[in-house]
Amino acid sequence: MSEITELTHCGPSLCVKFFEHYVFAAYGPLLKIYEYKTGKVVNTCRVLKKNKVHGISIGKSGNILAYGARSVSVFPMSEALKKESVQKYENITTEWITSSEFDYTEKNIYMLTCYNKILVYNLESKSIAIKAVPGERSILYSGSIKVFSDDKAYAVAGTVMNGVIIWDLITEKMFHNLTGHEGAIFNVILSDDGKLIASCSDDRSIKLWDFTTGQELTTGWGHTARIWYLKFFDNDRKLISVSEDCTCRVWSVSRSSTGKIELVQENIIEAHQIKNVWGVDVQESENIAVTSGNDGRIRVIDLAPVSRYGNELQSFSLNELSIKHGIKMEKGEMFKGFQPFKFGLIAATSLGKILMFDQISNSWSLLMTDSRLTSYSIFHGIKEENIAVIANNKSELLVLKLSEDGKTIIKESKLHYDNLSKTINCLVTKFDEKSLFILLESPNPNDQLQGLQLSNNTLEIINEYTFTKPKNFTTSSVAIIENLLIIGSRFSTVGIYSLTKEQKECYLIKGINEGDNITSTTFISKLPNALIFSVTSRDGYYNFIKIHISKTFEIAKHEIIYSNKVARGFLEGSFIDENDDFIIYGFKSSLFYLYNETKCYELASQLCGGAHRQWNFEEFNDYFMLVFIQSSTLHIRRINKLKFPHTLSDGLHGREIRDITIRSSKSYKNGYLFCTGSEDTGIRLSYFDITTNEINTYWFERQHVSGLQTCSFISNNLMISTSAREELFLWKLNTDTEDRPYMNLLQHLPTSMDTPDLRIMDFSVKFIEETVDFVLATIYSDSTIKIWYYNSDENKFKLIIGGRYETCCLTNANFVTLNQKLYCVVTPTDGYIVVYNITEAIQFELSESNTLVNNEKDLTQTALPMYETRIRVHQSGIKSMDTQVLDNTLKVYTTGDDNAIGLTIFKLDTSTKKLEGITNSFIERANASTITSCSLFNNNSKLLTTSVDQIVKIYDISNDQLDLINERYTTIADTGSCDTIDLSDGSSRLLIGGVGFSLWKWTQ
Amino acid sequence: MGKSSKDKRDVYYRKAKELGYRARSAFKLLQLNEQFHFLDDPNLKRVVDLCAAPGSWSQVLSKTMFKGIKESEVTEDDERKIVAVDLQPMSPIDHVTRLQADITHPRTLNKILELFNNSKADFVCSDGAPDVTGLHDLDEYVQQQLIMSALQLTTCILKEGGIFVAKIFRGRDINLLYTQLGYLFEQVICAKPRSSRGTSLEAFIVCIGYIPPKGWQPKLDENISVQEFFQGLKTDSKNQPRVIERYYEEERNIAEFMSCGGLQSFDSDATYHYDVVAALSDVSLDPVQSPTSPAYKKDS
Ligand SMILES: C[S@@+](CC[C@H](N)C(=O)[O-])C[C@H]1O[C@@H](n2cnc3c(N)ncnc32)[C@H](O)[C@@H]1O
């Protein structure tokens, strides 16, 4: 008997709840329990058989109540924390459960159904009473129950059409039918003191109502899409809301002097990706919230990002410094530059005053004055060494080394650099453990770049350098990595110099992206003969560059192994954090942002007026410091690092996964790499571990502009993805380094029009023997079939065959070789399997072993021949296809929109010398809905299918028949994609995608 | 919001404009009729179009039932009548009586019955769809409840042997609906017109031959939910589900699937080029021949 085991699931989470030091999160029918302080998963427990958990309530008696769809269950927390399943407690009722709560004794359960009835039942699953108010029984989307005492409990129900019905569920008396919203009500709740009602709706607003009078008190606007869930906290003084717009918002319920109640939006947190935050809860003692979303992420949110410690944001004007701190300032004197240090900050004014800010005592003091720095200065420093470097435009420098507490100048060095008469830029970086490096640039383009190496202790010059400056090179960033000086320039250009070599020639990497300033360079990792560093570009691009270096630090070549663009404004810098996540920062409109690019969420943001100002940003042990000038005032923002993990679960895609591909030809670490392409237009490169079953995502590729159609690895290191607008991208995977895999866009396929609106529905690849060149078939939504040749040396696609099937959309394509012929098997939406024999049309030869051989012919474009054969198998569109060639026969497995699955076998007809097919096995009602994907596995002896009815099936096909051997329900809605891999132990892994993602194990 | 350019490129959208239909949905009903011929019955008299706005199905009904007859030419004793119901207002259509009402509301039934002088209808269709939330299970449930509301109304108004057609989304629990419908109709088919996008879960149930169970008296009551209305429908009354029970697997049946609209009709998933559209625009959407049956059927 074969068996399927669920290993890992990631998908929409509809509700979350804090309890003591735990977070309970619903994942489909499962409950996942975390310790929020560490992020540790305590247990994953099955609560319901099929239905998704929509809500949970935790009683004082140690029982948990969970409900979803028509299911409800009460089970002991002790079991939930330990057991694999508590499904035996599941009950089913006749109507959708909108909300459920324990009664006051916790011996009975109240259930509000979508027809505005309360079912009361006891812990033995006996129905006790049905409560209702007279009136129409039209459907509800939302509602809640609030229990105050034994004889006081209310139901609040939101209707589809504007109304909120409030009734006493014990006396069955209706209090109010509140109208005022437009459209369906998605949540309605009572405050803990029972005085306020809060409701939210389709109309994107939150309304507060007076419970006693039913009067509408106020409306809160702010969300830009529908609002799903509300919760009062802080003694009903605050309200938190989550929405379709991906945000979580905090509102204060404030009473004005006239007694008027108002909802004031206090904080907006972009918590999830693309769409829909479903659940939220608040842990008041920690001042944190937890949210759950459609992307499967469980996010922990700091509710007091600027008020937890009281030192988060401080502002100082120079005027204030004169009055409060006794430092006399002149009229018109301004801040000119600053550098954060552990003790606080060093700043320079336009009159050369050097000021110190002590962040423990919050006091300022004047350290010294250097009149040379009047009017113009550039400020840098090495924060680890307490060294500040200030330069003017006359090649004069002031270098200061400060004591630990910043209060005394230990060393001071005034330098004049004679080689340059003027400087327009001065950049500073760490040279090695003992010294720092200063780079000076002259405004004269013919002047060379000058470098100074200074001792950290004595501030004395250890070495001087001169570097040839390339044409059109203007310095914008500097870093020293392993004896290499890497200088970022304007026009997206980087210059690299070897510091150990006599000749300071530049290795130039020009125009990496479109052409803005390089804002930072960061060391990433080291290989025996190569280095990887990342560069950020002001316009939002970031790149990982690998440079191959010899022992003598000769740069042989470079390769851009990763390139991506952030979706938000200006990009100023990046670093890798302690979890190996790639963190970026910069400006978007009037905000400064700090963003986790690996996991795709914002860590912090600060209103500052935008990018065009003086600013500085540094990381320290448990906080970041952002300093900026706005309206001549200096602002210091301390971004304290959250004590807890920011996410308990990272989540995957915000929308449906359209295709999955495993890099099955080669393992990675202790598992496999795989890509998921989603309707959210992104591709994620992830990894699953075959022992721990953990999933780890490395990158989110944003290059596609429309929802993904397909993605598939075609070799060890090449992957192809397609989407609408005729997008077909060829990606190169790089797994040379230990740190992380990289995947870079190598080439895209030429489109037929400037503004293409065709969809590339599928493709197939056949490699040319002993090369990395390949032939590619692409099929389109207008019935076009194209065959291309990809030349890897030139990195070019060339169209070699083109034609059209009919007018209907094509859905799948596969190359197969059989009897020294090359066929392209295509399925359209008309239900046929269509087989093209392109052996003659293609200008490559087929060897005896059925491989393609390049015979160096000149490639010209030819027409697609008429198909050799076709056979109607399905009534309507064929959704997926897999093929297999065995014993001179071609087997084609197809699944259709007609709920059917077919096995069609093609053989060579000896008289006509053509392939002829017959449908050997056909199951008409294989599923209740579209069968969306299929994949052969277990040495091509089994076929996996997925369907929108959420039943995954496995067929044994070894006898040329479709024999059903396993079927299993998946909680993934819109089930639309799968991939499989056979492992060496004889088991297989099945990856299933849709609205969510599951990893299953199949064993014989 | 206007139509996106993608919609404009859609052949059915263009074809609908050309033929004066208010929505491309018209072709769905036309193609269903190509397969089932329910509108071609000369005895078809009273029909109800539920969730009818903007009215393209009503237009199709009007055209097929009154073939070119002007409204003024209809005689007093003509029993033919089309009633179109929607929450939204609809602009007039010849031979169609419009009713702005909620189909889930019990009073709507009485209004329709009044319009038919208490005679039963021969055909009821519903193309209704609620707004979706993105919670697949809730959306599917609400859609099924809307169908059940339409069906509830239908059971009170449809003559024995009558036909019911409704839009469905083939999701997880669709087979529960098939099972329910199986108690009321001789034949339940899941039909997908070629004009309905293959990428959408939309399909239509075609329920042929209404047979109300013996002794079952459908009665609408304000205080009764759709769910309760259909309780007692199961022939085996001992197996009535209790209000709350330990979880059990419910009966699920898969309905027969049928693709409608010949292969020569336009494919709603395809991208058509202007030249192709022009070349094809003479081609009637009605099939010139009956659709060829698939290979697997020929063999058996
Ligand atoms: C897809 S449209 C119908 C299109 C129509 N068949 C045509 O061809 O023009 C769906 C309609 O269902 C209506 N609807 C949804 N719920 C309804 C309800 N409870 N009662 C009446 N109409 C409803 C909506 O107002 C909407 O106009």
Side-chain angles (χ1 to χ4, degrees):
Chain A
M1 268 311 286
S2 55
E3 197 183 19
I4 299 172
T5 348
E6 265 182 305
L7 302 177
T8 306
H9 173 70
C10 170
S13 171
L14 306 186
C15 63
V16 270
K17 205 124 236 137
F18 278 111
F19 183 79
E20 293 173 352
H21 53 289
Y22 298 124
V23 163
F24 289 76
Y27 271 103
L30 311 173
L31 206 54
K32 215 163 168 174
I33 304 153
Y34 305 86
E35 252 171 36
Y36 70 80
K37 292 187 181 176
T38 58
K40 194 184 133 204
V41 179
V42 180
N43 191 26
T44 303
C45 176
R46 174 168 290 271
V47 175
L48 305 178
K49 177 93 184 192
K50 287 183 176 172
N51 289 330
K52 290 190 166 69
V53 175
H54 281 241
I56 42 183
S57 175
I58 301 173
K60 290 182 281 293
S61 55
N63 277 338
I64 301 179
L65 162 62
Y67 60 90
R70 292 190 290 121
S71 292
V72 62
S73 181
V74 179
F75 46 89
M77 171 161 322
S78 54
E79 289 191 28
L81 287 171
K82 284 195 201 81
K83 292 203 167 165
E84 215 170 278
S85 168
V86 291
Q87 200 265 321
K88 62 176 185 191
Y89 296 102
E90 179 177 3
N91 290 308
I92 193 146
T93 179
T94 49
E95 290 171 6
W96 184 276
I97 302 162
T98 302
S99 180
S100 187
E101 279 295 342
F102 290 105
D103 80 348
Y104 197 67
T105 63
E106 296 195 6
K107 291 199 176 97
N108 301 311
I109 282 97
Y110 294 134
M111 263 178 351
L112 175 67
T113 78
C114 67
Y115 288 106
N116 202 11
K117 280 185 299 193
I118 294 273
L119 311 180
V120 191
Y121 80 100
N122 65 17
L123 293 180
E124 285 77 53
S125 312
K126 284 229 171 62
S127 172
I128 291 175
I130 299 179
K131 304 272 193 173
V133 281
E136 298 150 29
R137 297 272 83 91
S138 65
I139 199 155
L140 309 175
Y141 273 17
S142 65
S144 64
I145 297 164
K146 190 96 183 170
V147 178
F148 291 99
S149 67
D150 242 346
D151 54 3
K152 200 170 139 194
Y154 304 129
V156 285
T159 71
V160 185
M161 298 289 291
N162 318 338
V164 175
I165 299 163
I166 320 286
W167 56 286
D168 184 323
L169 63 88
I170 291 164
T171 62
E172 300 185 279
K173 201 181 126 218
M174 181 159 133
F175 296 130
H176 305 292
N177 185 354
L178 312 171
T179 52
H181 276 296
E182 276 174 51
I185 310 294
F186 292 116
N187 195 214
V188 48
I189 55 166
L190 272 181
S191 61
D192 292 325
D193 64 8
K195 288 182 182 154
L196 294 173
I197 301 160
S199 58
C200 58
S201 132
D202 208 11
D203 65 14
R204 302 169 181 194
S205 77
I206 300 169
K207 283 186 192 289
L208 287 187
W209 315 77
D210 185 309
F211 180 81
T212 324
T213 63
Q215 202 187 1
E216 183 179 326
L217 300 171
T218 184
T219 305
W221 295 100
H223 279 292
T224 56
R226 293 176 289 181
I227 306 162
W228 300 127
Y229 196 79
L230 302 170
K231 186 181 166 58
F232 278 107
F233 67 108
D234 192 16
N235 289 319
D236 300 330
R237 283 186 299 242
K238 282 193 175 150
L239 187 71
I240 193 162
S241 59
V242 292
S243 154
E244 187 176 15
D245 69 8
C246 295
T247 69
C248 162
R249 295 176 197 233
V250 179
W251 310 76
S252 69
V253 182
S254 69
R255 219 169 263 275
S256 72
S257 49
T258 58
K260 194 172 154 22
I261 281 189
E262 260 180 288
L263 271 177
V264 182
Q265 188 175 305
E266 278 191 340
N267 200 356
I268 311 174
I269 304 104
E270 223 184 281
H272 294 262
Q273 309 166 74
I274 306 286
K275 234 180 161 185
N276 293 327
V277 191
W278 298 119
V280 63
D281 197 17
V282 176
Q283 177 73 299
E284 297 196 25
S285 60
E286 306 269 16
N287 225 336
I288 54 171
V290 62
T291 59
S292 67
N294 216 49
D295 55 2
R297 173 185 294 166
I298 305 295
R299 177 81 195 274
V300 176
I301 291 165
D302 186 355
L303 289 179
V306 288
S307 57
R308 187 175 294 275
Y309 304 100
N311 61 356
E312 284 86 352
L313 187 60
Q314 286 173 299
S315 307
F316 304 95
S317 66
L318 280 181
N319 189 26
E320 223 177 299
L321 294 194
S322 338
I323 299 165
K324 283 202 191 140
H325 302 270
I327 306 165
K328 199 175 168 311
M329 297 291 168
E330 302 299 323
K331 209 167 173 245
E333 193 169 351
M334 287 184 299
F335 283 111
K336 267 293 166 189
F338 33 77
Q339 169 68 41
F341 291 101
K342 221 167 144 194
F343 56 80
L345 185 81
I346 297 287
T349 72
S350 52
L351 292 179
K353 287 198 183 84
I354 306 297
L355 307 165
M356 191 280 279
F357 172 68
D358 176 356
Q359 63 170 344
I360 296 168
S361 64
N362 277 341
S363 62
W364 287 85
S365 52
L366 178 66
L367 286 181
M368 65 172 294
T369 305
D370 184 343
S371 59
R372 299 178 306 160
L373 302 175
T374 306
S375 80
Y376 186 90
S377 64
I378 305 170
F379 208 126
H380 287 288
I382 305 287
K383 66 166 192 245
E384 297 83 0
E385 301 292 339
N386 276 2
I387 293 174
V389 180
I390 310 141
N392 68 10
N393 57 358
K394 298 185 195 75
S395 304
E396 291 169 321
L397 293 162
L398 172 68
V399 187
L400 299 174
K401 182 160 175 85
L402 300 146
S403 61
E404 196 64 14
D405 61 5
K407 287 185 177 138
T408 37
I409 297 171
I410 300 175
K411 270 266 148 23
E412 171 189 325
S413 169
K414 286 185 179 171
L415 296 171
H416 181 265
Y417 196 71
D418 302 321
N419 289 8
L420 295 176
S421 55
K422 272 187 176 317
T423 47
I424 47 157
N425 202 5
C426 163
L427 295 163
V428 176
T429 188
K430 185 176 154 176
F431 192 102
D432 54 24
E433 292 312 313
K434 293 196 185 81
S435 58
L436 68 123
F437 181 84
I438 302 171
L439 181 77
L440 295 168
E441 183 184 6
S442 151
N444 182 346
N446 298 324
D447 282 349
Q448 301 201 315
L449 296 170
Q450 305 295 330
L452 291 175
Q453 182 189 357
L454 260 58
S455 154
N456 286 342
N457 284 330
T458 62
L459 304 185
E460 275 162 14
I461 296 172
I462 298 172
N463 216 334
E464 289 186 28
Y465 299 87
T466 303
F467 307 98
T468 50
K469 182 168 145 183
K471 268 212 176 80
N472 290 324
F473 196 85
T474 314
T475 61
S476 57
S477 77
V478 69
I480 290 175
I481 303 171
E482 298 272 323
N483 275 319
L484 293 178
L485 172 71
I486 305 177
I487 306 174
S489 152
R490 279 166 58 182
F491 312 115
S492 200
T493 294
V494 169
I496 308 173
Y497 301 84
S498 170
L499 290 170
T500 49
K501 273 179 49 190
E502 273 309 299
Q503 277 313 89
K504 299 290 181 275
E505 285 299 321
C506 180
Y507 182 89
L508 207 59
I509 306 173
K510 266 165 106 174
I512 301 168
N513 302 112
E514 275 151 31
D516 211 335
N517 284 3
I518 296 290
T519 45
S520 77
T521 313
T522 315
F523 168 73
I524 300 292
S525 71
K526 205 183 138 184
L527 293 160
N529 292 314
L531 264 186
I532 294 174
F533 62 91
S534 71
V535 293
T536 57
S537 187
R538 195 124 208 278
D539 51 10
Y541 284 98
Y542 62 89
N543 297 275
F544 285 70
I545 300 174
K546 181 174 169 184
I547 45 174
H548 300 258
I549 36 177
S550 68
K551 285 205 179 63
T552 54
F553 285 93
E554 201 93 42
I555 302 165
K557 62 171 186 174
H558 76 274
E559 189 185 348
I560 295 172
I561 54 173
Y562 190 81
S563 182
N564 207 343
K565 192 178 182 193
V566 295
R568 38 191 69 223
F570 295 116
L571 179 55
E572 299 289 355
S574 68
F575 57 93
I576 301 278
D577 79 356
E578 58 279 7
N579 301 321
D580 248 356
D581 290 348
F582 186 58
I583 313 293
I584 54 169
Y585 55 88
F587 298 90
K588 61 169 182 193
S589 62
S590 58
L591 293 169
F592 172 86
Y593 69 83
L594 182 64
Y595 189 82
N596 184 323
E597 175 68 2
T598 304
K599 307 224 164 104
C600 299
Y601 60 81
E602 195 170 89
L603 287 158
S605 70
Q606 173 63 46
L607 259 174
C608 66
H612 302 285
R613 64 200 58 256
Q614 282 190 57
W615 63 277
N616 206 324
F617 179 76
E618 289 282 6
E619 183 186 8
F620 295 93
N621 257 348
D622 44 9
Y623 66 94
F624 300 96
M625 189 184 273
L626 169 72
V627 187
F628 61 94
I629 303 282
Q630 191 180 14
S631 329
S632 323
T633 303
L634 180 117
H635 302 268
I636 304 171
R637 166 72 201 273
R638 242 177 96 118
I639 300 168
N640 295 303
K641 294 184 185 171
L642 194 61
K643 283 187 296 183
F644 317 125
H646 283 265
T647 57
L648 299 176
S649 177
D650 293 335
L652 210 58
H653 288 280
R655 294 191 61 187
E656 300 85 340
I657 294 171
R658 290 293 183 216
D659 206 2
I660 300 180
T661 175
I662 307 172
R663 203 263 303 240
S664 51
S665 53
K666 206 173 167 187
S667 64
Y668 181 77
K669 291 184 179 167
N670 183 42
Y672 287 89
L673 289 172
F674 67 100
C675 286
T676 45
S678 161
E679 192 60 31
D680 67 11
T681 77
I683 301 171
R684 277 190 184 277
L685 175 64
S686 311
Y687 159 79
F688 68 87
D689 190 291
I690 55 170
T691 316
T692 65
N693 305 315
E694 261 168 51
I695 289 168
N696 194 0
T697 293
Y698 297 105
W699 299 110
F700 184 66
E701 308 290 352
R702 300 192 182 83
Q703 280 84 342
H704 279 281
V705 297
S706 57
L708 267 287
Q709 192 79 37
T710 58
C711 58
S712 184
F713 277 103
I714 59 168
S715 71
N716 264 350
N717 61 353
L718 294 176
M719 200 275 286
I720 288 179
S721 59
T722 74
S723 75
R725 292 166 178 267
E726 263 189 89
E727 286 177 343
L728 181 143
F729 295 165
L730 176 65
W731 304 83
K732 186 172 175 190
L733 184 72
N734 187 315
T735 49
D736 296 349
T737 57
E738 276 295 299
D739 57 330
R740 59 181 63 74
Y742 296 92
M743 199 168 76
N744 201 34
L745 182 58
L746 206 56
Q747 190 51 276
H748 49 252
L749 195 71
T751 56
S752 62
M753 284 175 266
D754 288 341
T755 48
D757 69 349
L758 288 180
R759 277 163 290 142
I760 298 185
M761 302 298 293
D762 196 17
F763 64 87
S764 185
V765 161
K766 177 99 184 147
F767 277 89
I768 292 167
E769 199 175 46
E770 283 166 7
T771 70
V772 279
D773 297 357
F774 56 82
V775 173
L776 167 79
T778 51
I779 57 166
Y780 297 79
S781 54
D782 69 344
S783 237
T784 300
I785 299 170
K786 288 179 181 172
I787 314 276
W788 310 78
Y789 166 62
Y790 175 73
N791 183 321
S792 59
D793 288 337
E794 295 172 14
N795 186 22
K796 262 194 190 139
F797 285 103
K798 187 173 169 25
L799 182 64
I800 52 174
I801 301 176
R804 191 175 279 179
Y805 168 59
E806 284 186 340
T807 58
C808 59
C809 181
L810 303 176
T811 54
N812 296 281
N814 257 7
F815 274 131
V816 287
T817 47
L818 184 66
N819 308 325
Q820 263 181 286
K821 293 205 176 74
L822 178 64
Y823 298 96
C824 187
V825 185
V826 171
T827 63
T829 50
D830 62 7
Y832 282 95
I833 297 174
V834 186
V835 183
Y836 287 90
N837 180 346
I838 54 166
T839 322
E840 295 304 318
I842 203 153
Q843 287 136 316
F844 295 100
E845 263 162 39
L846 265 112
S847 72
E848 271 171 33
S849 53
N850 281 325
T851 53
L852 279 182
V853 185
N854 193 348
N855 45 7
E856 309 293 334
K857 267 192 207 162
D858 274 342
L859 295 175
T860 51
Q861 197 182 318
T862 57
L864 181 77
M866 178 68 184
Y867 51 80
E868 180 167 298
T869 181
R870 68 171 188 173
I871 172 171
R872 182 121 189 256
V873 181
H874 292 269
Q875 286 193 54
S876 54
I878 293 179
K879 286 287 176 176
S880 73
M881 168 174 78
D882 208 344
T883 53
Q884 181 187 12
V885 173
L886 209 68
D887 311 330
N888 285 331
T889 59
L890 161 65
K891 297 174 188 174
V892 182
Y893 303 88
T894 49
T895 75
D897 189 36
D898 57 358
N899 308 349
I901 151 172
L903 161 57
T904 306
I905 299 182
F906 291 86
K907 287 195 178 110
L908 200 67
D909 184 313
T910 40
S911 57
T912 61
K913 296 271 180 286
K914 284 181 175 173
L915 282 186
E916 283 297 334
I918 53 159
T919 299
N920 216 49
S921 184
F922 189 83
I923 304 174
E924 224 175 299
R925 298 182 203 185
N927 284 84
S929 186
T930 309
I931 307 175
T932 44
S933 71
C934 70
S935 175
L936 288 166
F937 70 102
N938 191 227
N939 290 321
N940 289 341
S941 69
K942 307 288 179 302
L943 183 75
L944 169 77
T945 64
T946 66
S947 164
V948 183
D949 70 3
Q950 296 176 221
I951 307 289
V952 174
K953 297 199 174 188
I954 293 172
Y955 299 88
D956 186 302
I957 49 163
S958 35
N959 298 324
D960 284 346
Q961 291 294 324
L962 296 160
D963 296 321
L964 181 68
I965 54 165
N966 299 96
E967 63 174 272
R968 197 186 171 101
Y969 175 79
T970 166
T971 184
I972 299 171
D974 221 338
T975 333
S977 50
C978 68
D979 200 8
T980 50
I981 182 166
D982 297 337
L983 300 185
S984 53
D985 65 0
S987 72
S988 300
R989 292 292 183 276
L990 320 176
L991 273 63
I992 296 166
V995 186
F997 168 86
S998 284
L999 172 63
W1000 289 0
K1001 178 180 176 176
W1002 182 88
T1003 38
Q1004 186 88 49
Chain B
M1 273 267 296
K3 291 271 176 192
S4 71
S5 65
K6 193 174 152 202
D7 287 326
K8 283 184 191 146
R9 294 283 314 251
D10 178 290
V11 248
Y12 282 104
Y13 173 80
R14 287 148 54 101
K15 201 83 193 155
K17 276 211 115 162
E18 209 176 292
L19 297 175
Y21 287 118
R22 293 177 184 179
R24 70 194 286 292
S25 322
F27 297 107
K28 297 176 192 167
L29 187 60
L30 283 168
Q31 290 174 348
L32 287 169
N33 190 45
E34 268 174 36
Q35 183 74 40
F36 299 99
H37 304 284
F38 39 61
L39 303 182
D40 306 336
D41 178 359
N43 295 323
L44 198 61
K45 291 202 178 71
R46 281 168 294 271
V47 305
V48 186
D49 182 8
L50 299 172
C51 304
S56 77
W57 279 27
S58 290
Q59 288 178 302
V60 171
L61 293 170
S62 169
K63 275 192 192 174
T64 44
M65 284 171 67
F66 290 89
K67 301 197 177 65
I69 305 171
K70 290 209 187 82
E71 210 161 37
S72 55
E73 294 164 5
V74 179
T75 55
E76 270 294 309
D77 58 348
D78 196 327
E79 287 181 303
R80 289 179 295 180
K81 188 152 211 151
I82 302 166
V83 176
V85 188
D86 203 288
L87 287 170
Q88 310 288 334
M90 251 167 76
S91 43
I93 300 167
D94 273 358
H95 311 289
V96 175
T97 312
R98 291 159 296 143
L99 192 62
Q100 192 175 348
D102 181 354
I103 66 152
T104 67
H105 201 290
R107 256 179 312 214
T108 307
L109 170 69
N110 293 334
K111 287 186 192 156
I112 303 171
L113 282 173
E114 258 168 50
L115 288 169
F116 284 158
N117 291 325
N118 287 319
S119 297
K120 296 250 165 169
D122 306 302
F123 176 83
V124 181
C125 60
S126 170
D127 189 25
D131 288 343
V132 293
T133 61
L135 288 171
H136 281 75
D137 49 356
L138 178 64
D139 291 340
E140 194 186 357
Y141 183 83
V142 174
Q143 169 68 16
Q144 290 206 8
Q145 292 303 302
L146 189 69
I147 296 168
M148 293 312 274
S149 286
L151 184 66
Q152 169 177 272
L153 224 148
T154 304
T155 57
C156 299
I157 209 170
L158 191 65
K159 70 165 193 206
E160 263 193 64
I163 292 174
F164 174 61
V165 173
K167 167 150 65 202
I168 55 168
F169 290 98
R170 282 185 293 159
R172 182 188 80 162
D173 287 333
I174 193 62
N175 38 19
L176 289 178
L177 180 73
Y178 294 150
T179 309
Q180 288 261 13
L181 292 165
Y183 297 132
L184 291 165
F185 293 90
E186 276 167 20
Q187 205 185 353
V188 178
I189 296 156
C190 167
K192 176 119 182 158
R194 294 269 287 166
S195 53
S196 172
R197 290 203 176 89
T199 44
S200 116
L201 297 182
E202 180 188 76
F204 294 84
I205 34 158
V206 177
C207 309
I208 301 167
Y210 177 49
I211 30 158
K214 283 206 178 62
W216 185 61
Q217 283 290 330
K219 207 172 150 293
L220 284 193
D221 180 331
E222 287 224 334
N223 288 312
I224 283 180
S225 72
V226 187
Q227 206 61 52
E228 290 161 329
F229 177 89
F230 284 106
Q231 270 161 29
L233 189 65
K234 274 196 188 171
T235 38
D236 179 4
S237 63
K238 266 173 277 166
N239 273 343
Q240 282 306 308
R242 285 185 292 137
V243 175
I244 186 131
E245 275 193 68
R246 275 284 179 237
Y247 182 85
Y248 63 97
E249 286 289 337
E250 290 160 286
E251 191 186 335
R252 288 163 185 266
N253 291 315
I254 301 178
E256 184 184 344
F257 180 90
M258 219 173 255
S259 171
C260 307
L263 284 184
Q264 52 280 80
S265 55
F266 291 112
D267 170 14
S268 54
D269 293 312
T271 314
Y272 286 91
H273 298 279
Y274 288 110
D275 53 333
V276 177
V277 177
L280 287 178
S281 69
D282 312 325
V283 181
S284 152
L285 282 157
D286 303 318
V288 269
Q289 63 194 81
S290 62
T292 46
S293 73
Y296 63 90
K297 287 216 162 151
K298 270 190 218 150
D299 290 343
S300 57

